[in-house]
Amino acid sequence: DEKEKFEPTVFRDTIVQGLNEAGSDLEAIAKFLDATGSRLDYRRYADTLFDILVAGSMLAPGGTRIDDNDKTKMTNHCVFFADEDHDAIRNYAQVSNC
């Protein structure tokens, strides 16, 4: 049996690129995440996926982002950058439940 490599940065780059290409349309984001779920192992990278959907990039212990201010490694389509109202946050929660 060959062990599969654990590469959270490759996973992050794929998810962030897709989110950025989907734009601010939450329906397009949900479709991208649904389609990508069949190719990527969301269970294996659950922590990384959660970090991206909430904070926009991977988080280091302590809560700092691991993106070195590289725009290709972060997305603004996440909870932290959502409008500060109940409906906007609920919409992001619905996307992450898909």
Side-chain angles (χ1 to χ4, degrees):
D1 287 327
E2 216 176 290
K3 277 191 152 186
E4 195 174 328
K5 286 185 179 181
F6 183 69
E7 298 181 1
T9 54
V10 173
F11 177 83
R12 176 207 54 208
D13 294 345
T14 303
I15 296 294
V16 166
Q17 179 183 6
L19 292 176
N20 288 338
E21 288 174 0
S24 61
D25 179 17
L26 290 179
E27 192 170 320
I29 289 172
K31 285 180 183 178
F32 163 74
L33 291 172
D34 187 41
T36 307
S38 63
R39 290 186 298 115
L40 299 177
D41 190 356
Y42 282 173
R43 289 179 192 245
R44 183 179 192 146
Y45 298 106
D47 292 338
T48 303
L49 181 61
F50 182 78
D51 290 350
I52 293 167
L53 294 177
V54 173
S57 187
M58 285 175 48
L59 298 177
T64 57
R65 290 192 338 201
I66 307 173
D67 56 35
D68 301 321
N69 289 321
D70 183 349
K71 300 293 183 190
T72 63
K73 296 179 182 179
M74 55 189 275
T75 184
N76 290 334
H77 308 300
C78 62
V79 173
F80 281 11
F81 289 100
D83 292 335
E84 293 183 24
D85 67 28
H86 188 267
D87 289 334
I89 301 302
R90 181 178 29 202
N91 289 338
Y92 273 95
Q94 289 175 345
V95 165
S96 62
N97 283 333
C98 291

